[in-house]
Amino acid sequence: METKLASIKSDVQSLERRGSWGFPPLSAVILIKWLSTLVIGFFFVYPIIRLLLLSVETNQGWSGVHFAEVLRDQRTWLALDNTLWAVAGSTVLSLVIGVGLAWICAYTDIRGKGWIHLLALMPFIIPSYITTLAWTQLAGPTGLLNKWAAQLAGEHLVLWNVYGLDGIIVLMGLSHYPLVYLLTLAVLYRIPRDLEWAARSSGARQWQVFAKVTLPLALPGIAGGGLLAFVSSLDNFGIPAFLGIPEGISVISTLIYEQVAGFGPDAFSRAAVLSTLLGTVALAGSGLQWLIVRRAKADHTQSDDKSVRFSLGRRRIWVESLVWGFLLLTSIVPFFAMFHTALIRAYGLPFTPENVTLDNFWFVIAGNQSTKQAILNSLMLAGLTTLICVVVGTLLAYWRIKSRDTLAKGLEGAVSVPYALPGMVLGLAMILTWIEPLPGWSPGVYGTIWLILIAYVTRFLILQVKSSASTILQVHHEVEEAARINGAGRLARWRSVLLPLYLPGMLTGAFLVFLTSLSELTVSSLLWSSGAETIGVMIFSLEQAGSTVYSTAFSTLLVLLIGMAIAGGYWLRQRWERRGSHE
Amino acid sequence: MKRMWEKGWQLTLSLIAATVMLAGCGAGGQSATGQAPAATTNTSSGEQAAQQTEAAPAVVGTLSFYTSQPDADAAALIDAFTKKYPDVKVELFRSGTEEVISRLLAEAKAGSVKADVLLVADAPTFVGLKQQDLLLSYQSPEADQIPTELRDPDGTYYGTKVMATAMIVNTTQVKERPDSWQVLADPANSGKVLMPSPLYSGAAAYNLGVLTRQETFGWDFYEQLKANEVTVTKGNGAVLKSVAGGEKAYGMIVDFLAARAKQEGSPVDLIYPKEGVPVITEPIGILKETQNPDAAKAFVDFVLSEEGQKLAASIGYTPIRKGVEPPAGLVPIDQMKILSADPVELEKTREADKKRFGEMMGGN
């Protein structure tokens, strides 16, 4: 098979050289390759290098003294140990929940799939400090859970305390499972059902079908989502800050913040050393993911098949209670905790009729001039970021998968690093780079909204790359070869064959990029300037000023808006599909 | 179906084209205005420079203001200032103290500080910047109205308000108003006390430095707090939440947050313990590389003037200038027993203090 394909490839290449079939000549391909390497290198790798240089920079020239100092510190190793446990644990949790929920939603006859889909995305939209706050009220030492437990037991009893490493693992797992869920879902719909039937009819049990057929075929999506969950947990600051600090537990991301916030003369250098550690872990994770995906199988591809493949029968009611119980606990309760705070006159008052007010919502809508500007800015930034990421990310994923280039591998790794670094660190790298990118050249983007755009694209491109890659990996290259042999030019091949096939993964990625950049907080809080405030900056400011009731009101509005947008999109897609089937 | 695809394709292409054009315009427009003060070859900026020298003391141009004040406060200050100096356009960057200083230091590392005036946190932070030679020395005519211990003798920074760290209690849980910090170390209150972490909050780090240098407290006080199972949280906002929400009964907190919450109706009370309180002053200073020193000086003078101080009081802070009334619920500076320490020494030992604290609280 491989040799046959290789011979076809060389035929095609010789044709390409002759410039027939409308292919660009080979030299143009090489030029494009180097040009894109240069662009990606400049936007993604260069800022990281500028940052890394800080770690070896001292007053007396280059030296490893900061590395030695940080690596000798006992706290670094404790934090690294905690980080690895937290990240590994939460990734496993995200994988179990994400894959399980995706399988149930894609294949079974469970009811209310649209709602499940919407609610499963909530943890991703609700700011993590809200979720964390809701959980401390639920499972803190004096939270509801432990109060009930104590009442039932008739004595002081702490059933589970959310503060600590176990709480960090659970909450990060719950916050990042939507990444696994979304990427897996897109892939599951594409698995041809005849393969599963074939396995069933040859006597395989349902779990065997799942393990031997579904899992290997869905691996591109699962591994991609798993990697994103892994990397998201690495850079997560909010959850370990909230749940770890009171218990004296630090992870690398909180340690970095601590260093930067210390403002000492060597603060940046030590933060840069710690960032190197984080980056190394992220790259190792990326490498591991590729080792796993290498075993993935691609097969005859078909378009989305959303029919029911597995009837739950009498078990349906149990599965439904389980799923809805889970969603209630992880999506609805945090949302209502937030909503409930937003309705109260002053933080901490009991929820009684005389304390309930809509003034907080009114304040964030009308009482503040910059609110509208911030929403417009964020929408604009998120839109442009999504557009750029969809194009660049898909092309990069395509190049990475279709060629066995080490260059492409390296570039993909490089693109994942900005996402794994805490927002604060990436923001600093952006400042260092963009005031004067090259000696004597200041492009004037610093202090404007365009720097935020550059930062968003740099940070979130990996979301698109992984999502697009999950479907690109699933489409066997025979499809493209067939189109090529039938005489389709590069453009025609993309337009009428590849794009429709890649669309689910591309849309998933676009969706993720849009949502994350819409509510991005840390990078914007470092890079914004007059007139360029974003939604995240507004929430951050309100929260920092201690105006919790306002910040929760704003977040509630944001969640409602996004929820409406998702519901609208869902409705449009259903109409579209119905029309498509009439045609 | 195919037609639809074609349409989609065209739409995408035109969107991309629009984006590229938009980005091009934006970047071009911005670079022209952004670089105007520095570039001299540019004709329009040359004219601007000429105008500036003609009307030498006139306060005009743009002023880049970096601050960690809450959004509304910064906006009120800028409003009042531009009412007085309508020819100055103030550009604001507002964020957490950590973010503001990090951005400033990163700009310095990259070789070009963009800020003209800075207003953040506490004196030791400014001492650090002064030692890195980032601040301009300026003797404000308003200086003699500011207590000497709350400003820099070299004029690189001036305190702008008084924010004391006091005690907050939840009124539904604490019936008798305590009057001493020692109540936090009382074993009867074990597990009910909360404080912001010096590792994350600049104000808390300052308090740590000041309190450990007092004879009545010292490190023993923090040892007692630890024995009392004190909860260390990220910042003052989190302290307010926990105490107002009833999760804890006592907390150390910056006074105006508690006063504000109390007035809005949260079930809390604010207490200035009899031993005294550490205060931070949110100093203001001018950056050495400022492109517009005249406007920067006018801004600093305005903040320290009676008018500026009355504004601070109307927003809800204790003014630093003698003789200006503080807002309701807060005590004026001359009635406050201030615990202090040398800011230069505090700056020097801040890292060691924080490390010792981190090891003491986290070393389990």
Side-chain angles (χ1 to χ4, degrees), chain B residues 2 10 19 48 50 94 98 127 150 205 230 291 316 347:
Chain B
K2 204 183 165 212
Q10 277 166 3
T19 314
Q48 210 175 18
R94 195 227 75 86
E98 293 74 24
V127 169
L150 301 182
V230 65
Q291 301 286 331
E347 201 278 329

Side-chain angles (χ1 to χ4, degrees), chain B residues 172-256:
Chain B
T172 53
Q173 291 182 32
V174 180
K175 296 298 170 201
E176 239 172 273
R177 265 176 72 99
D179 65 345
S180 158
W181 285 114
Q182 294 306 332
V183 71
L184 303 185
D186 185 348
N189 296 321
S190 176
K192 293 182 192 167
V193 181
L194 179 79
M195 64 178 280
S197 169
L199 305 182
Y200 296 86
S201 155
Y206 177 83
N207 297 337
L208 177 73
V210 172
L211 286 182
T212 50
R213 275 170 188 73
Q214 310 296 323
E215 262 181 38
T216 36
F217 298 101
W219 281 97
D220 287 351
F221 180 63
Y222 283 92
E223 291 284 358
Q224 286 163 5
L225 286 184
K226 164 144 172 95
N228 224 10
E229 291 179 22
V230 65
T231 300
V232 182
T233 181
K234 196 181 155 208
N236 281 290
V239 171
L240 177 64
K241 269 186 220 163
S242 267
V243 176
E247 205 180 305
K248 299 283 169 184
Y250 301 88
M252 287 168 91
I253 194 170
V254 59
D255 59 354
F256 70 91

